[in-house]
PDB file of all heavy atoms in Angstrom:
ATOM      1  N   ARG A   1       6.989  -6.517  -8.921  1.00 92.00           N
ATOM      2  CA  ARG A   1       5.854  -7.364  -9.248  1.00 92.00           C
ATOM      3  C   ARG A   1       4.551  -6.739  -8.713  1.00 92.00           C
ATOM      4  O   ARG A   1       4.464  -6.379  -7.541  1.00 92.00           O
ATOM      5  CB  ARG A   1       6.018  -8.765  -8.655  1.00 92.00           C
ATOM      6  CG  ARG A   1       4.886  -9.733  -9.011  1.00 92.00           C
ATOM      7  CD  ARG A   1       4.954 -10.990  -8.196  1.00 92.00           C
ATOM      8  NE  ARG A   1       6.226 -11.686  -8.373  1.00 92.00           N
ATOM      9  CZ  ARG A   1       6.643 -12.655  -7.585  1.00 92.00           C
ATOM     10  NH1 ARG A   1       5.917 -13.036  -6.543  1.00 92.00           N
ATOM     11  NH2 ARG A   1       7.808 -13.238  -7.833  1.00 92.00           N
ATOM     12  N   PHE A   2       3.561  -6.634  -9.612  1.00 88.00           N
ATOM     13  CA  PHE A   2       2.259  -6.131  -9.259  1.00 88.00           C
ATOM     14  C   PHE A   2       1.276  -7.299  -9.351  1.00 88.00           C
ATOM     15  O   PHE A   2       1.204  -7.994 -10.381  1.00 88.00           O
ATOM     16  CB  PHE A   2       1.789  -5.044 -10.224  1.00 88.00           C
ATOM     17  CG  PHE A   2       2.661  -3.818 -10.219  1.00 88.00           C
ATOM     18  CD1 PHE A   2       3.822  -3.762 -10.999  1.00 88.00           C
ATOM     19  CD2 PHE A   2       2.336  -2.711  -9.479  1.00 88.00           C
ATOM     20  CE1 PHE A   2       4.605  -2.629 -11.029  1.00 88.00           C
ATOM     21  CE2 PHE A   2       3.124  -1.563  -9.476  1.00 88.00           C
ATOM     22  CZ  PHE A   2       4.257  -1.529 -10.241  1.00 88.00           C
ATOM     23  N   ALA A   3       0.491  -7.511  -8.308  1.00 79.00           N
ATOM     24  CA  ALA A   3      -0.473  -8.598  -8.351  1.00 79.00           C
ATOM     25  C   ALA A   3      -1.792  -8.131  -7.727  1.00 79.00           C
ATOM     26  O   ALA A   3      -1.873  -7.941  -6.515  1.00 79.00           O
ATOM     27  CB  ALA A   3       0.051  -9.819  -7.602  1.00 79.00           C
ATOM     28  N   GLY A   4      -2.787  -7.930  -8.558  1.00 71.00           N
ATOM     29  CA  GLY A   4      -4.114  -7.562  -8.081  1.00 71.00           C
ATOM     30  C   GLY A   4      -4.147  -6.162  -7.496  1.00 71.00           C
ATOM     31  O   GLY A   4      -3.149  -5.454  -7.391  1.00 71.00           O
ATOM     32  N   GLY A   5      -5.322  -5.757  -7.080  1.00 70.00           N
ATOM     33  CA  GLY A   5      -5.508  -4.469  -6.460  1.00 70.00           C
ATOM     34  C   GLY A   5      -5.500  -3.329  -7.454  1.00 70.00           C
ATOM     35  O   GLY A   5      -5.297  -3.519  -8.651  1.00 70.00           O
ATOM     36  N   ASP A   6      -5.674  -2.134  -6.921  1.00 80.00           N
ATOM     37  CA  ASP A   6      -5.720  -0.931  -7.751  1.00 80.00           C
ATOM     38  C   ASP A   6      -4.286  -0.539  -8.150  1.00 80.00           C
ATOM     39  O   ASP A   6      -3.408  -0.378  -7.290  1.00 80.00           O
ATOM     40  CB  ASP A   6      -6.383   0.208  -6.971  1.00 80.00           C
ATOM     41  CG  ASP A   6      -6.403   1.493  -7.767  1.00 80.00           C
ATOM     42  OD1 ASP A   6      -7.071   1.532  -8.807  1.00 80.00           O
ATOM     43  OD2 ASP A   6      -5.724   2.450  -7.345  1.00 80.00           O
ATOM     44  N   LEU A   7      -4.059  -0.381  -9.457  1.00 83.00           N
ATOM     45  CA  LEU A   7      -2.710  -0.097  -9.945  1.00 83.00           C
ATOM     46  C   LEU A   7      -2.197   1.224  -9.430  1.00 83.00           C
ATOM     47  O   LEU A   7      -1.009   1.365  -9.085  1.00 83.00           O
ATOM     48  CB  LEU A   7      -2.714  -0.128 -11.473  1.00 83.00           C
ATOM     49  CG  LEU A   7      -1.353   0.099 -12.158  1.00 83.00           C
ATOM     50  CD1 LEU A   7      -0.348  -0.959 -11.711  1.00 83.00           C
ATOM     51  CD2 LEU A   7      -1.498   0.101 -13.675  1.00 83.00           C
ATOM     52  N   ASP A   8      -3.044   2.254  -9.390  1.00 86.00           N
ATOM     53  CA  ASP A   8      -2.588   3.563  -8.898  1.00 86.00           C
ATOM     54  C   ASP A   8      -2.112   3.493  -7.448  1.00 86.00           C
ATOM     55  O   ASP A   8      -1.125   4.122  -7.057  1.00 86.00           O
ATOM     56  CB  ASP A   8      -3.712   4.590  -9.035  1.00 86.00           C
ATOM     57  CG  ASP A   8      -3.998   4.917 -10.503  1.00 86.00           C
ATOM     58  OD1 ASP A   8      -3.076   4.779 -11.326  1.00 86.00           O
ATOM     59  OD2 ASP A   8      -5.125   5.332 -10.822  1.00 86.00           O
ATOM     60  N   THR A   9      -2.838   2.721  -6.626  1.00 87.00           N
ATOM     61  CA  THR A   9      -2.413   2.531  -5.230  1.00 87.00           C
ATOM     62  C   THR A   9      -1.099   1.847  -5.158  1.00 87.00           C
ATOM     63  O   THR A   9      -0.205   2.236  -4.369  1.00 87.00           O
ATOM     64  CB  THR A   9      -3.480   1.748  -4.439  1.00 87.00           C
ATOM     65  OG1 THR A   9      -4.726   2.436  -4.495  1.00 87.00           O
ATOM     66  CG2 THR A   9      -3.076   1.562  -3.010  1.00 87.00           C
ATOM     67  N   ARG A  10      -0.919   0.818  -5.971  1.00 88.00           N
ATOM     68  CA  ARG A  10       0.365   0.077  -5.999  1.00 88.00           C
ATOM     69  C   ARG A  10       1.507   1.012  -6.424  1.00 88.00           C
ATOM     70  O   ARG A  10       2.611   0.931  -5.881  1.00 88.00           O
ATOM     71  CB  ARG A  10       0.272  -1.087  -6.976  1.00 88.00           C
ATOM     72  CG  ARG A  10      -0.827  -2.087  -6.684  1.00 88.00           C
ATOM     73  CD  ARG A  10      -0.489  -2.976  -5.508  1.00 88.00           C
ATOM     74  NE  ARG A  10      -1.468  -4.040  -5.345  1.00 88.00           N
ATOM     75  CZ  ARG A  10      -1.466  -4.930  -4.356  1.00 88.00           C
ATOM     76  NH1 ARG A  10      -0.510  -4.872  -3.460  1.00 88.00           N
ATOM     77  NH2 ARG A  10      -2.398  -5.879  -4.283  1.00 88.00           N
ATOM     78  N   MET A  11       1.263   1.879  -7.371  1.00 89.00           N
ATOM     79  CA  MET A  11       2.318   2.772  -7.831  1.00 89.00           C
ATOM     80  C   MET A  11       2.687   3.796  -6.759  1.00 89.00           C
ATOM     81  O   MET A  11       3.872   4.145  -6.622  1.00 89.00           O
ATOM     82  CB  MET A  11       1.888   3.463  -9.130  1.00 89.00           C
ATOM     83  CG  MET A  11       1.875   2.544 -10.321  1.00 89.00           C
ATOM     84  SD  MET A  11       1.593   3.443 -11.875  1.00 89.00           S
ATOM     85  CE  MET A  11       1.692   2.089 -13.053  1.00 89.00           C
ATOM     86  N   ARG A  12       1.713   4.285  -6.008  1.00 90.00           N
ATOM     87  CA  ARG A  12       2.023   5.193  -4.913  1.00 90.00           C
ATOM     88  C   ARG A  12       2.877   4.477  -3.873  1.00 90.00           C
ATOM     89  O   ARG A  12       3.821   5.092  -3.296  1.00 90.00           O
ATOM     90  CB  ARG A  12       0.740   5.748  -4.301  1.00 90.00           C
ATOM     91  CG  ARG A  12       0.028   6.773  -5.177  1.00 90.00           C
ATOM     92  CD  ARG A  12      -1.028   7.512  -4.382  1.00 90.00           C
ATOM     93  NE  ARG A  12      -2.120   6.649  -4.010  1.00 90.00           N
ATOM     94  CZ  ARG A  12      -3.219   6.430  -4.746  1.00 90.00           C
ATOM     95  NH1 ARG A  12      -3.325   7.013  -5.924  1.00 90.00           N
ATOM     96  NH2 ARG A  12      -4.178   5.636  -4.320  1.00 90.00           N
ATOM     97  N   THR A  13       2.543   3.241  -3.607  1.00 91.00           N
ATOM     98  CA  THR A  13       3.337   2.442  -2.664  1.00 91.00           C
ATOM     99  C   THR A  13       4.754   2.261  -3.211  1.00 91.00           C
ATOM    100  O   THR A  13       5.738   2.360  -2.452  1.00 91.00           O
ATOM    101  CB  THR A  13       2.692   1.069  -2.433  1.00 91.00           C
ATOM    102  OG1 THR A  13       1.371   1.248  -1.915  1.00 91.00           O
ATOM    103  CG2 THR A  13       3.520   0.225  -1.456  1.00 91.00           C
ATOM    104  N   LEU A  14       4.871   2.010  -4.490  1.00 92.00           N
ATOM    105  CA  LEU A  14       6.193   1.838  -5.100  1.00 92.00           C
ATOM    106  C   LEU A  14       7.034   3.112  -4.896  1.00 92.00           C
ATOM    107  O   LEU A  14       8.218   3.027  -4.525  1.00 92.00           O
ATOM    108  CB  LEU A  14       6.051   1.540  -6.590  1.00 92.00           C
ATOM    109  CG  LEU A  14       7.339   1.527  -7.408  1.00 92.00           C
ATOM    110  CD1 LEU A  14       8.279   0.443  -6.929  1.00 92.00           C
ATOM    111  CD2 LEU A  14       7.028   1.355  -8.899  1.00 92.00           C
ATOM    112  N   CYS A  15       6.478   4.261  -5.129  1.00 93.00           N
ATOM    113  CA  CYS A  15       7.221   5.510  -4.983  1.00 93.00           C
ATOM    114  C   CYS A  15       7.629   5.731  -3.522  1.00 93.00           C
ATOM    115  O   CYS A  15       8.744   6.207  -3.251  1.00 93.00           O
ATOM    116  CB  CYS A  15       6.397   6.687  -5.484  1.00 93.00           C
ATOM    117  SG  CYS A  15       6.568   6.947  -7.255  1.00 93.00           S
ATOM    118  N   ARG A  16       6.737   5.419  -2.610  1.00 92.00           N
ATOM    119  CA  ARG A  16       7.068   5.575  -1.190  1.00 92.00           C
ATOM    120  C   ARG A  16       8.238   4.687  -0.789  1.00 92.00           C
ATOM    121  O   ARG A  16       9.177   5.125  -0.110  1.00 92.00           O
ATOM    122  CB  ARG A  16       5.824   5.255  -0.347  1.00 92.00           C
ATOM    123  CG  ARG A  16       6.043   5.397   1.146  1.00 92.00           C
ATOM    124  CD  ARG A  16       4.693   5.357   1.871  1.00 92.00           C
ATOM    125  NE  ARG A  16       3.930   4.179   1.531  1.00 92.00           N
ATOM    126  CZ  ARG A  16       4.085   2.991   2.120  1.00 92.00           C
ATOM    127  NH1 ARG A  16       4.989   2.852   3.066  1.00 92.00           N
ATOM    128  NH2 ARG A  16       3.336   1.957   1.787  1.00 92.00           N
ATOM    129  N   VAL A  17       8.209   3.441  -1.247  1.00 92.00           N
ATOM    130  CA  VAL A  17       9.298   2.508  -0.942  1.00 92.00           C
ATOM    131  C   VAL A  17      10.576   2.944  -1.626  1.00 92.00           C
ATOM    132  O   VAL A  17      11.667   2.939  -1.017  1.00 92.00           O
ATOM    133  CB  VAL A  17       8.904   1.088  -1.389  1.00 92.00           C
ATOM    134  CG1 VAL A  17      10.096   0.142  -1.281  1.00 92.00           C
ATOM    135  CG2 VAL A  17       7.730   0.562  -0.567  1.00 92.00           C
ATOM    136  N   TRP A  18      10.457   3.348  -2.877  1.00 92.00           N
ATOM    137  CA  TRP A  18      11.645   3.760  -3.646  1.00 92.00           C
ATOM    138  C   TRP A  18      12.321   4.971  -2.973  1.00 92.00           C
ATOM    139  O   TRP A  18      13.562   5.028  -2.884  1.00 92.00           O
ATOM    140  CB  TRP A  18      11.248   4.099  -5.074  1.00 92.00           C
ATOM    141  CG  TRP A  18      12.334   3.912  -6.076  1.00 92.00           C
ATOM    142  CD1 TRP A  18      13.410   4.707  -6.279  1.00 92.00           C
ATOM    143  CD2 TRP A  18      12.480   2.849  -7.009  1.00 92.00           C
ATOM    144  NE1 TRP A  18      14.211   4.221  -7.279  1.00 92.00           N
ATOM    145  CE2 TRP A  18      13.661   3.065  -7.759  1.00 92.00           C
ATOM    146  CE3 TRP A  18      11.708   1.719  -7.293  1.00 92.00           C
ATOM    147  CZ2 TRP A  18      14.078   2.226  -8.767  1.00 92.00           C
ATOM    148  CZ3 TRP A  18      12.132   0.882  -8.302  1.00 92.00           C
ATOM    149  CH2 TRP A  18      13.303   1.109  -9.026  1.00 92.00           C
ATOM    150  N   ASP A  19      11.553   5.930  -2.515  1.00 93.00           N
ATOM    151  CA  ASP A  19      12.108   7.105  -1.854  1.00 93.00           C
ATOM    152  C   ASP A  19      12.784   6.715  -0.540  1.00 93.00           C
ATOM    153  O   ASP A  19      13.860   7.258  -0.201  1.00 93.00           O
ATOM    154  CB  ASP A  19      11.011   8.141  -1.595  1.00 93.00           C
ATOM    155  CG  ASP A  19      10.527   8.808  -2.873  1.00 93.00           C
ATOM    156  OD1 ASP A  19      11.282   8.788  -3.876  1.00 93.00           O
ATOM    157  OD2 ASP A  19       9.400   9.351  -2.872  1.00 93.00           O
ATOM    158  N   ARG A  20      12.209   5.819   0.220  1.00 92.00           N
ATOM    159  CA  ARG A  20      12.791   5.407   1.491  1.00 92.00           C
ATOM    160  C   ARG A  20      14.127   4.697   1.256  1.00 92.00           C
ATOM    161  O   ARG A  20      15.103   4.904   1.973  1.00 92.00           O
ATOM    162  CB  ARG A  20      11.845   4.472   2.245  1.00 92.00           C
ATOM    163  CG  ARG A  20      10.623   5.205   2.830  1.00 92.00           C
ATOM    164  CD  ARG A  20       9.725   4.260   3.581  1.00 92.00           C
ATOM    165  NE  ARG A  20      10.442   3.617   4.713  1.00 92.00           N
ATOM    166  CZ  ARG A  20       9.857   2.726   5.527  1.00 92.00           C
ATOM    167  NH1 ARG A  20       8.592   2.358   5.320  1.00 92.00           N
ATOM    168  NH2 ARG A  20      10.545   2.180   6.530  1.00 92.00           N
ATOM    169  N   LEU A  21      14.155   3.871   0.227  1.00 91.00           N
ATOM    170  CA  LEU A  21      15.408   3.179  -0.108  1.00 91.00           C
ATOM    171  C   LEU A  21      16.471   4.175  -0.538  1.00 91.00           C
ATOM    172  O   LEU A  21      17.659   4.047  -0.173  1.00 91.00           O
ATOM    173  CB  LEU A  21      15.171   2.146  -1.202  1.00 91.00           C
ATOM    174  CG  LEU A  21      14.308   0.948  -0.829  1.00 91.00           C
ATOM    175  CD1 LEU A  21      13.985   0.107  -2.071  1.00 91.00           C
ATOM    176  CD2 LEU A  21      14.980   0.081   0.213  1.00 91.00           C
ATOM    177  N   ALA A  22      16.093   5.170  -1.325  1.00 90.00           N
ATOM    178  CA  ALA A  22      17.050   6.178  -1.773  1.00 90.00           C
ATOM    179  C   ALA A  22      17.593   6.989  -0.582  1.00 90.00           C
ATOM    180  O   ALA A  22      18.812   7.288  -0.524  1.00 90.00           O
ATOM    181  CB  ALA A  22      16.388   7.107  -2.770  1.00 90.00           C
ATOM    182  N   ASP A  23      16.718   7.287   0.392  1.00 91.00           N
ATOM    183  CA  ASP A  23      17.197   7.999   1.584  1.00 91.00           C
ATOM    184  C   ASP A  23      18.222   7.189   2.360  1.00 91.00           C
ATOM    185  O   ASP A  23      19.154   7.759   2.954  1.00 91.00           O
ATOM    186  CB  ASP A  23      16.006   8.338   2.491  1.00 91.00           C
ATOM    187  CG  ASP A  23      15.075   9.387   1.882  1.00 91.00           C
ATOM    188  OD1 ASP A  23      15.535  10.097   0.959  1.00 91.00           O
ATOM    189  OD2 ASP A  23      13.903   9.462   2.301  1.00 91.00           O
ATOM    190  N   ARG A  24      18.105   5.884   2.343  1.00 90.00           N
ATOM    191  CA  ARG A  24      19.013   4.994   3.047  1.00 90.00           C
ATOM    192  C   ARG A  24      20.177   4.543   2.193  1.00 90.00           C
ATOM    193  O   ARG A  24      21.009   3.751   2.619  1.00 90.00           O
ATOM    194  CB  ARG A  24      18.266   3.751   3.562  1.00 90.00           C
ATOM    195  CG  ARG A  24      17.108   4.068   4.515  1.00 90.00           C
ATOM    196  CD  ARG A  24      16.429   2.791   4.938  1.00 90.00           C
ATOM    197  NE  ARG A  24      15.222   3.069   5.719  1.00 90.00           N
ATOM    198  CZ  ARG A  24      14.459   2.118   6.250  1.00 90.00           C
ATOM    199  NH1 ARG A  24      14.750   0.838   6.076  1.00 90.00           N
ATOM    200  NH2 ARG A  24      13.379   2.454   6.961  1.00 90.00           N
ATOM    201  N   LYS A  25      20.188   5.065   0.944  1.00 89.00           N
ATOM    202  CA  LYS A  25      21.232   4.691  -0.034  1.00 89.00           C
ATOM    203  C   LYS A  25      21.281   3.189  -0.262  1.00 89.00           C
ATOM    204  O   LYS A  25      22.348   2.567  -0.347  1.00 89.00           O
ATOM    205  CB  LYS A  25      22.618   5.212   0.431  1.00 89.00           C
ATOM    206  CG  LYS A  25      22.663   6.727   0.574  1.00 89.00           C
ATOM    207  CD  LYS A  25      24.061   7.171   0.881  1.00 89.00           C
ATOM    208  CE  LYS A  25      24.193   8.685   1.054  1.00 89.00           C
ATOM    209  NZ  LYS A  25      23.219   9.535   0.438  1.00 89.00           N
ATOM    210  N   LEU A  26      20.132   2.579  -0.360  1.00 90.00           N
ATOM    211  CA  LEU A  26      19.988   1.157  -0.620  1.00 90.00           C
ATOM    212  C   LEU A  26      19.442   0.949  -2.036  1.00 90.00           C
ATOM    213  O   LEU A  26      18.573   1.701  -2.500  1.00 90.00           O
ATOM    214  CB  LEU A  26      19.052   0.495   0.413  1.00 90.00           C
ATOM    215  CG  LEU A  26      19.506   0.547   1.857  1.00 90.00           C
ATOM    216  CD1 LEU A  26      18.416   0.015   2.756  1.00 90.00           C
ATOM    217  CD2 LEU A  26      20.803  -0.263   2.067  1.00 90.00           C
ATOM    218  N   LYS A  27      19.930  -0.092  -2.685  1.00 89.00           N
ATOM    219  CA  LYS A  27      19.472  -0.413  -4.012  1.00 89.00           C
ATOM    220  C   LYS A  27      18.644  -1.687  -3.991  1.00 89.00           C
ATOM    221  O   LYS A  27      19.127  -2.737  -3.524  1.00 89.00           O
ATOM    222  CB  LYS A  27      20.647  -0.576  -4.968  1.00 89.00           C
ATOM    223  CG  LYS A  27      21.460   0.695  -5.174  1.00 89.00           C
ATOM    224  CD  LYS A  27      22.600   0.462  -6.171  1.00 89.00           C
ATOM    225  CE  LYS A  27      23.360   1.754  -6.416  1.00 89.00           C
ATOM    226  NZ  LYS A  27      24.475   1.550  -7.374  1.00 89.00           N
ATOM    227  N   PRO A  28      17.424  -1.658  -4.501  1.00 92.00           N
ATOM    228  CA  PRO A  28      16.580  -2.857  -4.476  1.00 92.00           C
ATOM    229  C   PRO A  28      16.945  -3.800  -5.631  1.00 92.00           C
ATOM    230  O   PRO A  28      17.415  -3.384  -6.688  1.00 92.00           O
ATOM    231  CB  PRO A  28      15.181  -2.307  -4.655  1.00 92.00           C
ATOM    232  CG  PRO A  28      15.381  -1.073  -5.480  1.00 92.00           C
ATOM    233  CD  PRO A  28      16.690  -0.481  -5.060  1.00 92.00           C
ATOM    234  N   ARG A  29      16.721  -5.085  -5.384  1.00 92.00           N
ATOM    235  CA  ARG A  29      16.795  -6.066  -6.443  1.00 92.00           C
ATOM    236  C   ARG A  29      15.398  -6.444  -6.914  1.00 92.00           C
ATOM    237  O   ARG A  29      15.103  -6.548  -8.096  1.00 92.00           O
ATOM    238  CB  ARG A  29      17.547  -7.321  -5.962  1.00 92.00           C
ATOM    239  CG  ARG A  29      17.476  -8.548  -6.881  1.00 92.00           C
ATOM    240  CD  ARG A  29      18.105  -8.273  -8.250  1.00 92.00           C
ATOM    241  NE  ARG A  29      19.511  -7.976  -8.132  1.00 92.00           N
ATOM    242  CZ  ARG A  29      20.277  -7.660  -9.172  1.00 92.00           C
ATOM    243  NH1 ARG A  29      19.736  -7.562 -10.369  1.00 92.00           N
ATOM    244  NH2 ARG A  29      21.546  -7.388  -9.015  1.00 92.00           N
ATOM    245  N   THR A  30      14.521  -6.633  -5.928  1.00 93.00           N
ATOM    246  CA  THR A  30      13.136  -6.988  -6.224  1.00 93.00           C
ATOM    247  C   THR A  30      12.200  -6.268  -5.251  1.00 93.00           C
ATOM    248  O   THR A  30      12.499  -6.189  -4.051  1.00 93.00           O
ATOM    249  CB  THR A  30      12.908  -8.504  -6.087  1.00 93.00           C
ATOM    250  OG1 THR A  30      13.810  -9.207  -6.933  1.00 93.00           O
ATOM    251  CG2 THR A  30      11.486  -8.898  -6.477  1.00 93.00           C
ATOM    252  N   ILE A  31      11.110  -5.764  -5.782  1.00 93.00           N
ATOM    253  CA  ILE A  31      10.054  -5.169  -4.946  1.00 93.00           C
ATOM    254  C   ILE A  31       8.768  -5.909  -5.275  1.00 93.00           C
ATOM    255  O   ILE A  31       8.344  -5.950  -6.440  1.00 93.00           O
ATOM    256  CB  ILE A  31       9.901  -3.669  -5.212  1.00 93.00           C
ATOM    257  CG1 ILE A  31      11.209  -2.914  -4.905  1.00 93.00           C
ATOM    258  CG2 ILE A  31       8.749  -3.087  -4.387  1.00 93.00           C
ATOM    259  CD1 ILE A  31      11.169  -1.447  -5.227  1.00 93.00           C
ATOM    260  N   LEU A  32       8.151  -6.473  -4.245  1.00 92.00           N
ATOM    261  CA  LEU A  32       6.930  -7.259  -4.432  1.00 92.00           C
ATOM    262  C   LEU A  32       5.756  -6.460  -3.897  1.00 92.00           C
ATOM    263  O   LEU A  32       5.642  -6.200  -2.694  1.00 92.00           O
ATOM    264  CB  LEU A  32       7.025  -8.599  -3.697  1.00 92.00           C
ATOM    265  CG  LEU A  32       8.237  -9.473  -4.079  1.00 92.00           C
ATOM    266  CD1 LEU A  32       8.234 -10.755  -3.235  1.00 92.00           C
ATOM    267  CD2 LEU A  32       8.209  -9.809  -5.560  1.00 92.00           C
ATOM    268  N   LEU A  33       4.887  -6.044  -4.807  1.00 89.00           N
ATOM    269  CA  LEU A  33       3.657  -5.329  -4.443  1.00 89.00           C
ATOM    270  C   LEU A  33       2.482  -6.284  -4.668  1.00 89.00           C
ATOM    271  O   LEU A  33       1.607  -6.034  -5.467  1.00 89.00           O
ATOM    272  CB  LEU A  33       3.507  -4.071  -5.278  1.00 89.00           C
ATOM    273  CG  LEU A  33       4.663  -3.052  -5.187  1.00 89.00           C
ATOM    274  CD1 LEU A  33       4.513  -1.982  -6.247  1.00 89.00           C
ATOM    275  CD2 LEU A  33       4.703  -2.431  -3.799  1.00 89.00           C
TER     276      LEU A  33
END
């Protein structure tokens, strides 16, 4: 979920979170940005 703010910043945050989850071998159900 994206709500407000700069979309490019939100997408960079998404990639950072996604990479951290992959390193921990965790699968997300929901990511709230």
Side-chain angles (χ1 to χ4, degrees):
R1 183 191 301 166
F2 298 84
D6 179 65
L7 182 59
D8 290 335
T9 301
R10 302 285 187 184
M11 287 188 178
R12 287 194 293 270
T13 301
L14 173 62
C15 275
R16 180 167 54 85
V17 171
W18 207 285
D19 288 340
R20 288 181 60 181
L21 293 172
D23 291 341
R24 300 179 186 181
K25 298 185 181 337
L26 297 173
K27 294 182 178 180
R29 169 62 63 182
T30 304
I31 300 176
L32 304 178
L33 302 170

